Amino acid sequence: MRITKLFQTRNLSVIGLLLAGFLTTQTFADNKKLSSLALTVGDLGNPFFVQIAHGAEAQAKHINDKVKFTALSSNYDVNNQTNQIDNFISSSVDLILLGAADSQGIAPAVLRAKQAGVTIVAVDVGSEGGVDATVTSNNKQAGTKDGAYLAERLKGKGQIVIINGPPVTAVTDRVAGFLEEIKKYPDIKILSQDQNAGGSRDGGLRVMSDLLTAFKQIDAVFAINDPTAIGCDLAAKQAQRKEFFIVGVDGSPDIVPFLKDPASLIAATAAQDPYLMAQEAVKIGYEIMQGKKPKEELTLIPVGLITKENVDRYAGWTK
């Protein structure tokens, strides 16, 4: 698979600006009109997916200010998302952005959309079934950055847990990157890595509470996203445990107060920019509608590591 990597930079405050510049310098053909855009993602109760919706709508309206925009939550239910896509097809939408509830399980619905002539772009997570393009954060990089930070802080030795999530590529890539880094340190022992917290705060609270009961000593926690990390932090407070620290992924507005709070166990997060990710996905999808295939099948947007030490310099998500 060919991959495009956008703007590798260490300057946290300029990642968004560079990507924004990339987007605004593009021009669009006036051949096929974008009249309707439909988005289905895991959970619109999660601020990350809200920003994906906002970014998609903004870019669509940049193309056609009268575009009809629909955004739905799948609630990580592949059957629910399948029905949503079938309804999008029946409504003759021009472009679908898909944040898959299950990267493999959604394939038949993707295939039906393709057969119906609908352009479909995977955003945030990959999808099988023949999507026209995929735009995601560099999720493996996110896992690697978290893993390197965790291992360095532990000085290469300790007991850790991974709070896993839904069966989508964004999650599996993060975990793969994290494990790849951790395997460099034979004295770091993984106590648990298969518990699915559903990518939510409540799930993080539930799974972490169980793990705190099961293990009397935990030195660090890798949570697959920020809501999960926040749930883990709450579980620790309820159990009156504070011997470990927590790393997450997203760089969400919700995580910033925890990073700034000395009493919080959340120590770092690998920051994405969902708004710009969605804008890029719409741009690529519209170009495909005009018959212009992307140069690469997969576009990766880099992440930056935000910690308690540098959070005051973090500009946050674009919107």
Side-chain angles (χ1 to χ4, degrees):
M1 177 176 287
R2 295 169 298 169
I3 299 174
T4 296
K5 295 184 179 180
L6 299 182
F7 308 114
Q8 298 292 343
T9 176
R10 295 182 180 180
N11 188 331
L12 302 177
S13 65
V14 302
I15 291 176
L17 292 175
L18 286 170
L19 285 170
F22 176 83
L23 287 162
T24 56
T25 57
Q26 303 304 303
T27 58
F28 299 102
D30 292 324
N31 299 327
K32 188 173 180 181
K33 189 174 182 180
L34 178 62
S35 298
S36 55
L37 166 64
L39 167 73
T40 171
V41 291
D43 178 12
L44 284 171
N46 182 337
F48 180 85
F49 293 115
V50 172
Q51 292 309 309
I52 285 182
H54 288 168
E57 183 175 20
Q59 189 65 18
K61 288 186 174 179
H62 176 69
I63 298 168
N64 174 16
D65 60 4
K66 296 182 180 179
V67 68
K68 180 182 178 181
F69 177 70
T70 304
L72 300 175
S73 282
S74 70
N75 296 316
Y76 290 110
D77 183 329
V78 69
N79 293 321
N80 187 32
Q81 191 167 64
T82 294
N83 291 333
Q84 290 171 349
I85 291 176
D86 287 339
N87 288 335
F88 295 158
I89 296 168
S90 298
S91 300
S92 300
V93 301
D94 299 311
L95 173 62
I96 295 173
L97 294 193
L98 170 64
D102 183 316
S103 295
Q104 294 181 343
I106 201 61
V110 172
L111 181 59
R112 286 194 294 276
K114 292 295 299 169
Q115 290 172 338
V118 180
T119 300
I120 184 165
V121 176
V123 62
D124 181 47
V125 299
S127 173
E128 296 189 8
V131 294
D132 292 285
T134 302
V135 181
T136 75
S137 296
N138 191 333
N139 286 293
K140 188 171 182 181
Q141 181 190 44
T144 299
K145 283 181 176 291
D146 273 354
Y149 173 87
L150 181 148
E152 181 179 358
R153 180 160 169 168
L154 290 178
K155 295 181 170 52
K157 185 176 182 179
Q159 298 187 128
I160 69 171
V161 297
I162 297 171
I163 312 299
N164 221 307
V168 296
T169 60
V171 173
T172 57
D173 286 351
R174 289 171 199 177
V175 174
F178 181 81
L179 289 173
E180 184 176 293
E181 189 66 26
I182 292 302
K183 285 178 181 177
K184 299 175 183 178
Y185 304 91
D187 290 331
I188 294 180
K189 180 181 179 181
I190 299 174
L191 301 175
S192 172
Q193 67 181 71
D194 297 322
Q195 295 294 311
N196 181 357
S200 70
R201 184 181 304 211
D202 289 346
L205 171 61
R206 172 181 52 80
V207 171
M208 193 69 218
S209 295
D210 290 344
L211 292 175
L212 289 172
T213 300
F215 302 109
K216 300 306 179 186
Q217 177 65 37
I218 296 173
D219 297 305
V221 176
F222 170 57
I224 57 89
N225 68 3
D226 284 351
T228 302
I230 292 170
C232 292
D233 193 58
L234 179 57
K237 285 182 173 64
Q238 290 182 354
Q240 297 184 336
R241 295 273 293 273
K242 52 185 178 181
E243 78 275 11
F244 56 88
F245 63 92
I246 303 164
V247 296
V249 177
D250 280 343
S252 66
D254 286 350
I255 208 72
V256 171
F258 290 87
L259 288 169
K260 292 184 175 181
D261 180 3
S264 169
L265 300 183
I266 296 176
T269 182
Q272 309 185 73
D273 197 325
Y275 189 93
L276 289 171
M277 182 197 310
Q279 286 188 304
E280 179 69 3
V282 173
K283 180 188 74 66
I284 289 173
Y286 183 65
E287 289 178 345
I288 291 170
M289 288 174 57
Q290 310 312 313
K292 183 180 178 181
K293 292 185 177 180
K295 294 180 181 179
E296 311 295 346
E297 298 171 2
L298 171 62
T299 298
L300 292 177
I301 299 175
V303 301
L305 188 70
I306 313 305
T307 68
K308 285 186 180 296
E309 290 72 34
N310 68 19
V311 66
D312 288 335
R313 304 196 308 273
Y314 177 45
W317 289 346
T318 298
K319 294 283 187 176

